């Protein structure tokens, strides 16, 4: 049995994957990844590696002078020779392109912004270390982001969703055949996500030992590996206890002995499995809303903010490092609260005669 936690195991696998990705990039890219390693997660570095591969692939395909050169043989001097125009052409290219398997890929504003942000960090590293003289990436203007409506479940939809997980009335016949085997586990997962706002990766990473019923908390690992305790209420506690009775009777496969949530194959559940589970049940109660585990997280954040009115508490519980991230998500609710305050402060006693102390025209 591995002594590594789920988080450590994922990190190990990411590092191995990253080494494979770096081999297909120009040699100098390795210096960049070593340089940012102490300040970034392995998952972030993998995202950078994918973004850089797309960028160098663009240069290789679209620049006549580079078509005959293998991407791995690109020199650092190439970065110095590029201009803002090259980046603008790249942004246009990102909107609609084909990958190596000739599949269509479209990037919207957020996808383009992330890829350009990756390049800005890449250029900044070499510019700061005085290995290039020019930094055209710093001059590139990021695309304007049009904020999307936050999709979340209404209060009645949350109740209907949990009812459906318990009963399974609206599932297909094939889904119903599995429902009796998984409904206790599924209800524990859905109640936990809706009752704590944790991320799906944090959910599947839970071990049995991470639950502290005495204090009503679970130990999770946030982005970057930070260990925190998130607290749960009585509904979550009840759902977890019911599932643990069932979990105690399951003999897990090797490597999943500590895992809290197990698949029908008796292995630790994967992120994709929980995503499919949420989608399956949510379609029965909110068919017009594309509900994902992240939308359940937004639902929890909305409920917490409505109950407390404390945006800083919401940011802390959800694990947002910047409260402005939270404010952007719940701006509409903040406006709703501001509107509700318009009659909270009373300037004059109700029923008091208007026009002065004794309501006479002249005193």
């Amino acid at each position: 049995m591995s002594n590594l936690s789920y988080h450590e195991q994922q990190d190990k696998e990411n590092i191995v994957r990253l080494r494979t990705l770096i081999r297909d990039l120009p040699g100098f890219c390795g210096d960049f990844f070593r340089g940012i390693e102490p300040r970034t997660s392995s998952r972030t570095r993998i995202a950078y590696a994918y973004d850089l591969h797309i960028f160098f692939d663009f240069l290789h395909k679209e620049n006549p002078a580079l078509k005959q050169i293998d991407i791995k043989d690109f020199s650092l001097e190439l970065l110095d020779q590029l201009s803002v125009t090259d980046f603008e052409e790249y942004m246009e290219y990102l909107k609609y392109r084909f990958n190596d398997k000739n599949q269509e890929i479209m990037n919207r504003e957020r996808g383009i912004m992330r890829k350009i942000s990756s390049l800005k960090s890449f250029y900044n590293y070499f510019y700061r270390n005085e290995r290039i003289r020019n930094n055209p990436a710093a001059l590139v203007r990021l695309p304007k982001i049009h904020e999307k409506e936050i999709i979340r479940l209404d209060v009645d939809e949350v109740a209907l969703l949990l009812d459906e997980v318990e009963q399974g009335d609206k599932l297909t016949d094939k889904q119903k055949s599995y429902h009796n085997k998984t409904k206790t586990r599924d209800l524990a997962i859905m109640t936990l996500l809706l009752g704590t706002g944790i991320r799906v990766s944090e959910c599947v990473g839970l071990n049995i030992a991470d639950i502290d019923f005495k204090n009503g908390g679970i130990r999770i690992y946030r982005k970057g590996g930070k260990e925190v305790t998130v607290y749960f209420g009585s509904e979550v506690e009840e759902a977890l206890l019911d599932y643990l009775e069932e979990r105690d009777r399951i003999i897990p496969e090797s490597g999943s002995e500590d895992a809290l949530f197990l698949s029908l194959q008796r292995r630790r559940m994967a992120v994709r499995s929980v995503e499919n589970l949420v989608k399956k049940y949510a379609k029965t109660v909110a068919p017009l809303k594309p509900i994902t585990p992240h939308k359940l997280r937004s639902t929890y954040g909305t409920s917490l903010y409505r109950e407390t009115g404390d945006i800083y508490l919401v940011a802390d519980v959800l694990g947002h490092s910047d409260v402005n991230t939270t404010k952007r998500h719940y701006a509409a609710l903040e406006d709703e609260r501001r509107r509700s305050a318009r009659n909270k402060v009373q300037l004059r006693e109700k029923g008091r005669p208007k026009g002065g102390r004794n309501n006479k025209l002249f005193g």
Side-chain angles (χ1 to χ4, degrees):
M1 180 170 64
S2 173
N3 292 322
L4 295 178
S5 67
Y6 173 80
H7 169 75
E8 292 169 332
Q9 183 63 36
Q10 290 295 109
D11 196 48
K12 176 184 173 182
E13 292 173 6
N14 285 343
I15 290 171
V16 172
R17 175 62 180 154
L18 180 61
R19 289 173 180 169
T20 302
L21 293 172
I22 290 175
R23 291 193 195 108
D24 294 327
L25 292 171
F28 57 85
C29 293
D31 298 337
F32 167 69
F33 286 103
R34 282 188 292 273
I36 66 171
E37 190 273 336
R39 304 183 305 280
T40 57
S41 68
S42 57
R43 188 175 176 181
T44 296
R45 295 195 297 279
I46 282 181
Y48 279 159
Y50 279 119
D51 291 343
L52 289 175
H53 184 273
I54 293 170
F55 177 64
F56 285 116
D57 188 57
F58 158 76
L59 294 176
H60 181 68
K61 289 177 178 177
E62 303 298 323
N63 191 313
L66 298 174
K67 280 189 176 182
Q68 305 305 318
I69 305 175
D70 192 287
I71 289 176
K72 291 185 288 186
D73 296 327
F74 284 3
S75 66
L76 186 59
E77 287 71 28
L78 170 65
L79 301 187
D80 251 332
Q81 297 168 10
L82 298 180
S83 66
V84 173
T85 301
D86 291 308
F87 284 93
E88 290 172 345
E89 291 176 353
Y90 177 55
M91 290 168 68
E92 181 63 29
Y93 167 80
L94 287 173
K95 291 180 180 178
Y96 180 78
R97 65 187 178 87
F98 289 87
N99 64 11
D100 294 336
K101 297 179 181 179
N102 206 35
Q103 297 169 321
E104 291 183 356
I105 296 179
M106 293 183 66
N107 281 285
R108 301 191 184 278
E109 295 160 345
R110 291 186 182 277
I112 294 173
M113 185 176 76
R114 197 204 77 183
K115 289 175 173 57
I116 298 301
S117 295
S118 296
L119 284 178
K120 284 177 175 283
S121 297
F122 184 65
Y123 259 83
N124 285 342
Y125 170 79
F126 290 106
Y127 187 74
R128 192 168 53 247
N129 286 280
E130 299 181 340
R131 295 180 62 184
I132 57 175
R133 291 171 297 175
N134 302 307
N135 188 0
L139 304 176
V140 177
R141 299 180 66 178
L142 293 173
K144 183 180 179 181
I145 300 298
H146 295 85
E147 294 296 333
K148 296 187 293 184
E149 178 187 1
I150 302 300
I151 297 172
R152 52 176 76 87
L153 291 172
D154 298 329
V155 175
D156 63 319
E157 290 173 330
V158 170
L160 289 171
L161 177 61
L162 294 177
D163 287 345
E164 181 59 27
V165 177
E166 279 190 312
Q167 299 161 12
D169 294 339
K170 298 179 181 177
L171 298 177
T172 66
D173 290 341
K174 183 177 180 180
Q175 290 170 338
K176 286 179 180 178
S177 65
Y178 292 100
H179 182 249
N180 283 333
K181 301 176 185 177
T182 66
K183 66 178 179 180
T184 305
R185 181 205 67 188
D186 295 352
L187 184 62
I189 291 173
M190 299 292 273
T191 307
L192 181 63
L193 292 174
L194 283 164
T196 62
I198 62 173
R199 297 177 175 89
V200 63
S201 59
E202 296 162 353
C203 176
V204 300
L206 284 170
N207 288 335
I208 296 174
D210 291 327
I211 307 176
D212 177 7
F213 286 108
K214 180 181 177 182
N215 296 299
I218 52 173
R219 178 178 57 200
I220 62 171
Y221 293 90
R222 292 291 195 198
K223 287 182 176 180
K226 181 182 178 183
E227 181 182 311
V228 300
T229 299
V230 173
Y231 297 95
F232 54 78
S234 57
E235 289 177 287
V236 175
E237 178 181 8
E238 184 181 342
L240 287 174
L241 286 171
D242 287 344
Y243 169 65
L244 281 172
E245 285 186 22
E246 187 177 279
R247 171 68 177 80
D248 287 341
R249 298 192 294 269
I250 302 173
I251 300 174
E253 290 290 325
S254 176
S256 296
E257 293 88 347
D258 300 326
L260 174 59
F261 294 116
L262 297 176
S263 67
L264 287 173
Q265 290 73 40
R266 295 176 287 125
R267 297 188 181 93
R268 183 187 294 274
M269 289 190 73
V271 167
R272 180 61 60 85
S273 298
V274 176
E275 290 173 341
N276 290 338
L277 180 155
V278 170
K279 182 179 178 181
K280 175 180 72 176
Y281 289 113
K283 280 177 66 176
T284 65
V285 299
L288 299 182
K289 294 181 179 180
I291 298 299
T292 64
H294 194 74
K295 302 300 187 296
L296 300 187
R297 180 170 157 83
S298 295
T299 300
Y300 171 79
T302 300
S303 300
L304 182 61
Y305 185 59
R306 280 192 171 131
E307 289 295 323
T308 66
D310 189 340
I311 199 71
Y312 292 94
L313 174 64
V314 176
D316 183 51
V317 172
L318 292 180
H320 290 164
S321 57
D322 183 357
V323 73
N324 289 317
T325 301
T326 319
K327 286 181 176 179
R328 283 198 301 272
H329 280 73
Y330 302 101
L333 293 179
E334 286 205 300
D335 188 56
E336 181 182 304
R337 290 183 65 82
R338 284 194 292 269
R339 287 200 305 273
S340 70
R342 66 187 184 273
N343 291 321
K344 297 294 185 185
V345 177
Q346 187 175 314
L347 303 179
R348 293 192 291 181
E349 185 179 343
K350 289 183 179 179
R352 179 181 182 278
K354 297 180 181 180
R357 191 172 301 164
N358 54 13
N359 203 29
K360 291 182 179 179
L361 185 61
F362 299 103

